[in-house]
Amino acid sequence: MAEPDLADLDAFAAVARQRSFRGAAARRGVSPSSLSQAVRRLEDRLGVRLLNRTTRSVTPTEAGERLLARLTPTLEELGRALDEVNSFRDSPTGTLRLNMPTVAAKLVLPGLVGPFLRAHPGVTLEVVAEDSFVDVLAAGFDAGVRYEERLEQDMIAVPMGPDQRYVLAASPDYLARHGAPTHPRQVLDHACIRHRFLSGVSLPWEFEKDGEIIRVSPSGPLVGNVPELGIAAAVEGLGLLMTFDGFVAPCLADGRLVEVMAEWSTPFTGPRLYYPSRRQMPAPLRAFVDFLREQAKAW
């Protein structure tokens, strides 16, 4: 029997963990067919089926489960060994895989990508932006990005950007027709443009002033999960919009939108890069952490 190829073993482990060829391919930036061919080669060489495949699911066989259990620590140790060699380079090489909320990918990451990749040309940055809270390590990511209230306590967290703020805004036309609320509870009397996550959750609007926190759940003519759509609706005068200040900064600057009740808008800590303290850091991740800590001096 020919010795299995290490790349095929790694491909099998990725598919077995994700329970999906498409999911594993998306995480790795390759085609599902390439992973399917790798697993098929491995099964042919071992002479045993490792994955049960149907049109709806992929599950490891008993042999596949046993191989995955023995293979996982071996692949992790191999990764650590290669990374130790990588640490002797002037600039690390390799792939840094990050999972983060859409807002961080749109507002925070763009200002970091250029300087970081220019400083580390050997690093490839792979980013998946999603608003569901996945186990980033089990999904094959090196680190995740979350806001403070969503962080696990056994994680190391590094600031990824300055403080942010939610802004309540409306168009001058809307305010001329309906007036501006002066207290959070008055927001309930207005048409409001709301955000709803793909999970179906629509968070209440939270206001804070002098230590008092008030949450309201408004209603209105538009609910969606695309920030640009809500901003366009607010500019059209369809209602009040509450969103991250970075999303509406251009509209506030040119007067298409006007901030309302600014005194009830309290800054909160920006996103945090997080990773487990018990795990040796891959060289690309270590370089990114060092980069963020240097950037934080200017925030």
Side-chain angles (χ1 to χ4, degrees), residues 103-116:
V103 62
K106 289 187 174 185
L107 294 182
V108 179
L109 190 60
L112 301 173
V113 167
F116 173 69

Side-chain angles (χ1 to χ4, degrees), residues 83-134:
D83 202 60
E84 285 186 13
V85 176
N86 199 10
S87 66
F88 285 93
R89 296 176 180 270
D90 292 334
S91 179
T93 62
T95 301
L96 174 59
R97 298 180 178 89
L98 300 179
N99 178 284
M100 63 183 63
T102 303
V103 62
K106 289 187 174 185
L107 294 182
V108 179
L109 190 60
L112 301 173
V113 167
F116 173 69
L117 292 181
R118 281 193 295 269
H120 301 284
V123 173
T124 298
L125 182 62
E126 292 185 3
V127 178
V128 173
E130 56 185 347
D131 294 319
S132 58
F133 297 104
V134 301

Side-chain angles (χ1 to χ4, degrees), residues 6 78 134 166-168 173 181 202 204 248 250 291:
L6 181 60
L78 178 60
V134 301
Y166 282 121
V167 168
L168 183 67
D173 172 67
S202 184
V248 293
F291 169 79

Side-chain angles (χ1 to χ4, degrees), residues 41-60:
R41 281 195 304 268
L42 181 61
E43 290 178 327
D44 289 343
R45 287 178 179 175
L46 296 178
V48 64
R49 178 175 290 275
L50 299 173
L51 297 175
N52 290 317
R53 308 159 177 84
T54 70
T55 56
R56 294 186 178 182
S57 66
V58 175
T59 57

